[in-house]
C-alpha cells in the first residue's frame, strides 16, 4: 500500500491553487437526486470521496458523466433503487446525505446506519428526527433505516445540536415537501450555503442560508441547473498551517478568503503575515511560530477539521498552546502519532496541552483519519529527517494532488510503496 515520504526542513514558496470543496461537492452531488433534469457541476475536486459518492448514485440509476477538468454532469432521470448499502456507507459516512433527497423524490429510501467512526460516535438521530417531523415513517431493521413517506410535509424542526450533514439532508428533503419547512438551530457552514445556492439554481425556494434559521418552501418539482462548487476552506487552511509551520511565502489562488476567518485569525496570532485578495490568500512566515490556543466550534467558530493541523503547528511553536475539541469526542488520535515525532502533548479529556519543542524528528507514523493525516504531513514538513506516513488513503479521500501541490512549493514529498 502507498505511503507518503516527507523529508522536513525546507520552507515553502510559490503558488498553489485551491480545489473545490469536498464537503460542498458531496451534498451537491446528492442534490442531483431531486430532479430528473441534468445538474452540471464545475470545480468538482478529483477525490476518492467524490468518486465513492458518484458510484453510489450510479448504483441507484443516476447517469454520471465522466469527470474532466472539474466538470461533472449528473442526471437522475429515473431512480432504480433508492438504497445505500452498508458497503458504501461504512467507507463514507456522508453517504447518509442521500436519505433526504431519496425520500423526497421516491417516497421511500433504505439507507444503512453508518455505525461508529475513528473520531467519535457520530449518530444520525437528528436527520431521522427531522424527517419524522416531516411525516416520514422510519424504522431501523438489520442495520438499515427504512424510510417511507408518500409526500413529505413542511414542518418546524429544531435541531438539538448544530449538525452540518443533518441540516443539508433536511434542507434537501424540504425542497420537495408539501408546504413550508423551518429548520431552527441550522448549521451556518459555508458548505450549507453553497448547497442552498445550488438548490436555488434548481428552482428551490430557500431563505436564511448562512443563518441559524432556514425557511424552505417546498415545490412539486425542481429543474436542472449549472453550479460551481465553492473552494475548499479546509484545504486552504491546511496549506496555510503548513506554511506557518515550515516557514516561507505562499500565495493560494482560487480560494474563498471570507470562509477562513477563524483560521486566519489564529495564524496571525501565531505570527504569520497574511494578505487577503478577492479570491487569493498570501501568507508569509518568518521565524518560529508562537503557540496558539483554540476551541473548536460550529462555523463561524474554529473548524474541528482544522484542529489537527493546528496541533501540529503548536508542536514546534514557541510556548504552550491549549486545544479544546468540542465537536467530536475522540478526535485526538493524531496526538499519539505526533508524539512519535517527539511532540510534547498532554491530553486531559477533550483538551490537549501542547508544549512546543525546538525540533521534531522524522519517524514512521500512521494516519488515522483524513485531517489527522494532514497534521502528520504538516509535522513531517518541519521534522528533522524522514517521516513515513502509512494509510494515506485517508488523504486521497480529501486532498486533491496533495504531494504535487506541496512539491511545487518546494517540499520534499513523494509517494512510496
Ligand atoms: C461534517 C463534515 C465534517 C466535519 C463536521 C463538523 C461533511 C461531509 N463532513 O460532518 O468534515 O468535521 O461536519 O464540522 O460535511 N450529531 C448527533 N446527531 C446527529 C448528527 C450529529 O449527535 O444526528 C453530533 C455528532 O456526533 C457531532 C456533532 O453533532 O458530535 C456535529 O456533527 P455533524 O455536524 O453532523 O458532522 P457531519 O455532518 O457528520
Amino acid at each position: 500500500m502507498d505511503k507518503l515520504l516527507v523529508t522536513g526542513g525546507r520552507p515553502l514558496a510559490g503558488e498553489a491553487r485551491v480545489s473545490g470543496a469536498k464537503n460542498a461537492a458531496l451534498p451537491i452531488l446528492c442534490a442531483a437526486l431531486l430532479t430528473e433534469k441534468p445538474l452540471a457541476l464545475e470545480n468538482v475536486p478529483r477525490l476518492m470521496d467524490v468518486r465513492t459518492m458518484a458510484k453510489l448514485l450510479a448504483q441507484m440509476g443516476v447517469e454520471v458523466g465522466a469527470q474532466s477538468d472539474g466538470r461533472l454532469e449528473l442526471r437522475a432521470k429515473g431512480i432504480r433503487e433508492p438504497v445505500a448499502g452498508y458497503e458504501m456507507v461504512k467507507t463514507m459516512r456522508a453517504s447518509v446525505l442521500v436519505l433526504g433527497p431519496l425520500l423526497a423524490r421516491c417516497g421511500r429510501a433504505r439507507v444503512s446506519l453508518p455505525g461508529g467512526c475513528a473520531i467519535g460516535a457520530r449518530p444520525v438521530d437528528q436527520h431521522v428526527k427531522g424527517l419524522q417531523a416531516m411525516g416520514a415513517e422510519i424504522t431501523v431493521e438489520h442495520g438499515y433505516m427504512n424510510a417511507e413517506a408518500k409526500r413529505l410535509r413542511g414542518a418546524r424542526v429544531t435541531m438539538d445540536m448544530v449538525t452540518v450533514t443533518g441540516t443539508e439532508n433536511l434542507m434537501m428533503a424540504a425542497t420537495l415537501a408539501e408546504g413550508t419547512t423551518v429548520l431552527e438551530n441550522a448549521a451556518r457552514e459555508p458548505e450549507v450555503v453553497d448547497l442552498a445556492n445550488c438548490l436555488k439554481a434548481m428552482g428551490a425556494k430557500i431563505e436564511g442560508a448562512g443563518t441559524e434559521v432556514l425557511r424552505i418552501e417546498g415545490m412539486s418539482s425542481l429543474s436542472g441547473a449549472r453550479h460551481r462548487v465553492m473552494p475548499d476552506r479546509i484545504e486552504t487552511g491546511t496549506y496555510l498551517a503548513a506554511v506557518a509551520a515550515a516557514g516561507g511565502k505562499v500565495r493560494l489562488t482560487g480560494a474563498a478568503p471570507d470562509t477562513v476567518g477563524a483560521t486566519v485569525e489564529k495564524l496571525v496570532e501565531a505570527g504569520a503575515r497574511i494578505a487577503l485578495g478577492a479570491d487569493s490568500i498570501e501568507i508569509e512566515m518568518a521565524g518560529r511560530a508562537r503557540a496558539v490556543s483554540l476551541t473548536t466550534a460550529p462555523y463561524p467558530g474554529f473548524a474541528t477539521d482544522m484542529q489537527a493541523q493546528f496541533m501540529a503547528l503548536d508542536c514546534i511553536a514557541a510556548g504552550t498552546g491549549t486545544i479544546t475539541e468540542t465537536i467530536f469526542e475522540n478526535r485526538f488520535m493524531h496526538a499519539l502519532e505526533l508524539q512519535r515525532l517527539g511532540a510534547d502533548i498532554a491530553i486531559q479529556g477533550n483538551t490537549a496541552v501542547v508544549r512546543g519543542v525546538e525540533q521534531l524528528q522524522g519517524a514512521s507514523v500512521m494516519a488515522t483519519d483524513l485531517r489527522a493525516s494532514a497534521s502528520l504531513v504538516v509535522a513531517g514538513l518541519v521534522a528533522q529527517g524522514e517521516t513515513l506516513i502509512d494509510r494515506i488513503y485517508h488523504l486521497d479521500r480529501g486532498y486533491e494532488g496533495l504531494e504535487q501541490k506541496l512539491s511545487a512549493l518546494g517540499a520534499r514529498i513523494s509517494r512510496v510503496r
Side-chain angles (χ1 to χ4, degrees), residues 22-24 26-27 49 53 92-97 119-129 160-168 187 189 191 233-234 297-299 303-306 325-329 331 370-371 397:
K22 169 180 91 77
N23 285 353
L26 295 177
D49 272 8
M53 187 62 89
M92 187 180 65
R93 297 180 44 85
S95 310
V96 79
L97 282 165
I119 62 173
R122 298 182 84 173
V124 288
D125 56 306
Q126 301 300 309
H127 306 229
V128 169
K129 181 182 115 170
D160 297 340
M161 80 279 300
V162 176
T163 154
V164 178
T165 49
T167 302
E168 292 166 345
E189 267 66 4
E191 292 77 10
R233 66 191 167 101
I234 306 300
Y299 191 84
T304 171
D305 284 351
M306 282 305 305
E325 172 60 55
T326 70
I327 310 287
F328 295 113
E329 73 268 25
R331 206 172 194 178
L370 172 54
R371 306 307 168 186
R397 290 186 49 195

Side-chain angles (χ1 to χ4, degrees), residues 156-228:
R156 178 175 287 270
V157 180
T158 306
M159 281 167 279
D160 297 340
M161 80 279 300
V162 176
T163 154
V164 178
T165 49
T167 302
E168 292 166 345
N169 232 337
L170 299 180
M171 177 165 67
M172 286 192 278
T175 60
L176 289 182
E178 191 177 352
T180 302
T181 299
V182 177
L183 300 178
E184 291 177 331
N185 199 20
R188 293 180 281 165
E189 267 66 4
E191 292 77 10
V192 174
V193 179
D194 203 31
L195 171 64
N197 287 340
C198 176
L199 294 168
K200 285 195 235 174
M202 293 164 69
K205 291 204 174 138
I206 301 172
E207 279 171 29
T211 75
E212 277 165 33
V213 183
L214 286 171
R215 198 185 166 85
I216 305 124
E217 208 181 297
M219 315 283 287
S220 55
S221 68
L222 294 182
S223 65
R226 186 170 284 283
H227 179 79
R228 185 174 174 81

Side-chain angles (χ1 to χ4, degrees), residues 42-341:
E42 290 171 20
N43 207 30
V44 177
R46 205 173 259 287
L47 295 171
M48 195 44 93
D49 272 8
V50 169
R51 240 174 288 164
T52 305
M53 187 62 89
K55 194 168 145 197
L56 174 63
L57 296 174
Q59 276 178 4
M60 297 171 191
V62 179
E63 296 162 29
V64 183
Q67 188 177 349
S68 106
D69 203 18
R71 285 170 211 275
L72 183 66
E73 193 166 306
L74 303 112
R75 181 164 193 186
K77 214 172 184 175
I79 295 169
R80 237 188 349 254
E81 233 194 338
V83 177
Y86 181 56
E87 286 311 308
M88 291 302 235
V89 180
K90 79 170 186 214
T91 59
M92 187 180 65
R93 297 180 44 85
S95 310
V96 79
L97 282 165
V98 299
L99 178 62
L102 281 177
L103 187 57
R105 171 94 183 270
C106 308
R108 65 192 175 93
R110 190 171 138 77
V111 175
S112 169
L113 277 170
C117 90
I119 62 173
R122 298 182 84 173
V124 288
D125 56 306
Q126 301 300 309
H127 306 229
V128 169
K129 181 182 115 170
L131 292 171
Q132 282 172 333
M134 294 167 75
E137 296 268 348
I138 303 183
T139 54
V140 176
E141 262 174 23
H142 305 295
Y144 277 78
M145 294 179 276
N146 293 310
E148 263 188 59
K150 265 207 179 73
R151 172 118 194 245
L152 291 169
R153 296 185 306 268
R156 178 175 287 270
V157 180
T158 306
M159 281 167 279
D160 297 340
M161 80 279 300
V162 176
T163 154
V164 178
T165 49
T167 302
E168 292 166 345
N169 232 337
L170 299 180
M171 177 165 67
M172 286 192 278
T175 60
L176 289 182
E178 191 177 352
T180 302
T181 299
V182 177
L183 300 178
E184 291 177 331
N185 199 20
R188 293 180 281 165
E189 267 66 4
E191 292 77 10
V192 174
V193 179
D194 203 31
L195 171 64
N197 287 340
C198 176
L199 294 168
K200 285 195 235 174
M202 293 164 69
K205 291 204 174 138
I206 301 172
E207 279 171 29
T211 75
E212 277 165 33
V213 183
L214 286 171
R215 198 185 166 85
I216 305 124
E217 208 181 297
M219 315 283 287
S220 55
S221 68
L222 294 182
S223 65
R226 186 170 284 283
H227 179 79
R228 185 174 174 81
V229 176
M230 66 172 281
D232 197 314
R233 66 191 167 101
I234 306 300
E235 187 200 22
T236 303
T238 301
Y239 288 120
L240 294 175
V243 179
K249 186 175 177 180
V250 167
R251 195 173 123 88
L252 298 176
T253 60
D258 53 333
T259 62
V260 290
T263 298
V264 163
E265 221 172 87
K266 286 293 160 192
L267 289 167
V268 170
E269 207 181 306
R273 283 177 47 183
I274 294 190
L276 305 178
D279 63 355
S280 67
I281 303 179
E282 203 167 81
I283 177 166
E284 185 173 4
M285 189 74 179
R288 189 177 176 192
R290 288 189 294 272
V292 290
S293 293
L294 57 91
T295 300
T296 62
Y299 191 84
F302 190 92
T304 171
D305 284 351
M306 282 305 305
Q307 180 255 104
Q309 301 88 315
F310 269 70
M311 189 182 290
L313 175 61
D314 272 352
C315 286
I316 49 86
T320 299
T322 302
I323 294 181
T324 305
E325 172 60 55
T326 70
I327 310 287
F328 295 113
E329 73 268 25
N330 191 25
R331 206 172 194 178
F332 281 149
M333 307 273 277
H334 45 281
L336 299 167
E337 300 299 313
L338 290 168
Q339 282 171 345
R340 301 206 68 245
L341 301 174

